[in-house]
Amino acid sequence: MSLASYELHERLDRLSSASADRDILVTVAVPPEESIGEARQPVETDYAEASQLDERSFPKPLTDALETVRSELNEYDEVPENGLAIYAGAPDGDLITSVFDDLPVAIDESIYRHANEFDLEPLEDVTEPESNYRLLVVERGGAALGRLDDEGVDPVETFESQVPGKSSAGGQSAERFERDRERQKREFFDEVAERAERAFLDEDLDGILLGGTTGTIENFREEATLDHRLEELLIGEFAVEYAGEQGLRQLAEKGEEAIDERDRVGARETLATFFEAVRDDDQPVAYGREEVDDALEFDAVETLLLSTALEGTDLQTFGDRADEQGGETVVLPDDFPDGNRFVEAFDGVGALLRFPIE
């Protein structure tokens, strides 16, 4: 994960968890087409009113938050290219402020409100999910397609199968029935594959989980003509008992471990390269705070490795310095063996270098 992406999600997580027992948390969102003067006007009006009223009419934490927002808005002569979002308030007694003025996607609506929680809706389109998976459940009685991301399971489509159950009759009638049943089953599998292609292709996916009873999954993989691009995205097959929304949720739960492992592939590869460099005297590397600090002083850092176990200020400080010299920063989770080893052995700070330093 990049440092910018990690920091953005961390900031939004902190804001989303903030709440108060009164409407004292202020949100201001300004789209790029709005003037900074228009954004200031309601804040100035409320602040002027708050300054003249008592605590019961206008709580002091709200007045403090308005003063902070007012001060932040005064830092701008015009609205940034993709808009501006400012959050201020004291949910636990301590004032927190967060300003977003370098957004990758434009804010599309103007918001000014004070409530018992921050309004993060203006930034929903700014951050893409960290993970983006698809769910496909195939059962004899039907099938279900769904999305799975950081927000949870989102059913896309469910549909029933017209394939009849097995016949208990004998003789030629049974043989003919079974041939028809097999034909209908193949047609149903092809329909499932076609619907999956329409729903899942042309999207930037991390992977697909496939669920159903063991026999049905095996038959589907053997008989269905599933687009090769979807085949390549399959990361696991899991026993699921239902073909509707319940089955999608069951599939997501059973596939959680496989997803966690896949999400760490990049982190494992980066750490493997770093550990190999540590063992190889010919590959310049630095580790620990002091060595990495020296490497940054010499503009020698090609790739900076930072653990999520570090304090946020350390992540920011090291990351900014690497960015200034054109280095890449990779933030690594510490909740798997190699990530934990990186923390214990190297203090969660390491770097692959452009050239060796003394």
Side-chain angles (χ1 to χ4, degrees):
M1 182 190 304
S2 70
L3 179 62
S5 176
Y6 176 80
E7 288 178 339
L8 183 56
H9 281 84
E10 283 289 291
R11 291 173 68 192
L12 290 176
D13 282 345
R14 288 194 294 271
L15 291 172
S16 66
S17 63
S19 63
D21 56 3
R22 295 180 291 176
D23 294 342
I24 58 174
L25 305 183
V26 178
T27 297
V28 173
V30 190
E33 64 272 12
E34 186 174 319
S35 73
I36 200 69
E38 290 174 312
R40 289 186 186 129
Q41 185 175 355
V43 178
E44 293 286 355
T45 300
D46 277 357
Y47 180 70
E49 182 180 355
S51 302
Q52 299 174 13
L53 298 176
D54 58 26
E55 168 73 12
R56 285 184 300 177
S57 302
F58 236 106
K60 186 176 186 306
L62 176 56
T63 303
D64 292 342
L66 288 169
E67 184 177 10
T68 299
V69 171
R70 179 172 173 264
S71 176
E72 293 291 345
L73 285 170
N74 286 334
E75 294 293 319
Y76 297 88
D77 295 325
E78 59 183 23
V79 178
E81 181 179 2
N82 283 330
L84 175 67
I86 301 175
Y87 299 91
D92 300 313
D94 294 325
L95 184 68
I96 60 174
T97 307
S98 195
V99 179
F100 299 84
D101 61 1
D102 187 19
L103 300 169
V105 178
I107 291 175
D108 60 7
E109 68 173 310
S110 177
I111 291 178
Y112 166 61
R113 62 178 293 202
H114 33 91
N116 65 345
E117 59 185 19
F118 293 118
D119 186 352
L120 299 180
E121 187 174 350
L123 300 183
E124 282 184 354
D125 293 334
V126 171
T127 56
E128 296 180 356
E130 281 295 289
S131 60
N132 191 19
Y133 291 86
R134 294 296 177 265
L135 306 170
L136 175 58
V137 176
V138 185
E139 264 301 298
R140 187 189 68 185
L145 287 69
R147 298 185 179 90
L148 175 64
D149 57 29
D150 300 333
E151 301 300 319
V153 175
D154 177 25
V156 173
E157 182 180 15
T158 61
F159 51 98
E160 295 181 355
S161 161
Q162 302 302 317
V163 181
K166 291 186 177 181
S167 172
S168 59
Q172 292 183 344
S173 295
E175 292 176 2
R176 185 168 57 252
F177 176 87
E178 189 59 30
R179 286 196 301 271
D180 288 342
R181 180 179 176 277
E182 285 298 314
R183 175 183 55 77
Q184 289 175 293
K185 185 178 69 172
R186 287 193 298 272
E187 290 174 352
F188 172 64
F189 284 164
D190 285 340
E191 181 185 3
V192 173
E194 289 174 6
R195 295 197 187 203
E197 291 165 21
R198 289 198 299 267
F200 297 163
L201 282 179
D202 300 325
E203 295 189 32
D204 186 15
L205 304 183
D206 294 306
I208 298 173
L209 303 179
L210 177 61
T213 56
T214 302
T216 303
I217 291 177
E218 290 176 354
N219 290 337
F220 177 73
R221 294 295 303 277
E222 291 172 0
E223 299 178 22
T225 308
L226 190 63
D227 189 282
H228 70 92
R229 291 168 290 181
L230 297 184
E231 286 273 5
E232 292 169 359
L233 286 168
L234 289 175
I235 64 172
E237 301 170 4
F238 305 89
V240 172
E241 302 171 6
Y242 312 99
E245 183 173 340
Q246 186 177 359
L248 292 173
R249 298 191 184 283
Q250 189 178 34
L251 176 57
E253 182 178 347
K254 291 196 171 187
E256 183 177 357
E257 184 174 345
I259 287 175
D260 287 344
E261 286 301 309
R262 186 178 180 88
D263 285 345
R264 292 190 179 94
V265 168
R268 293 182 191 280
E269 292 176 350
T270 301
L271 284 172
T273 301
F274 173 77
F275 292 149
E276 179 63 30
V278 171
R279 293 190 294 268
D280 188 349
D281 292 337
D282 294 331
Q283 298 185 51
V285 65
Y287 47 83
R289 292 171 181 268
E290 291 187 9
E291 282 193 17
V292 172
D293 183 73
D294 289 342
L296 288 166
E297 288 290 335
F298 284 98
D299 291 349
V301 173
E302 180 71 33
T303 302
L304 177 67
L305 286 66
L306 300 174
S307 171
T308 54
L310 296 172
E311 295 289 336
T313 52
D314 288 337
L315 284 167
Q316 184 70 53
T317 300
F318 277 111
D320 286 348
R321 293 177 64 193
D323 184 62
E324 288 172 3
Q325 61 181 257
E328 177 190 8
T329 299
V330 180
V331 179
L332 304 165
D334 64 328
D335 59 352
F336 68 107
D338 282 349
N340 188 53
R341 175 187 169 196
F342 180 60
V343 175
E344 293 184 348
F346 305 102
D347 295 330
V349 183
L352 301 170
L353 306 182
R354 299 186 180 97
F355 51 84
I357 60 172
E358 295 297 331

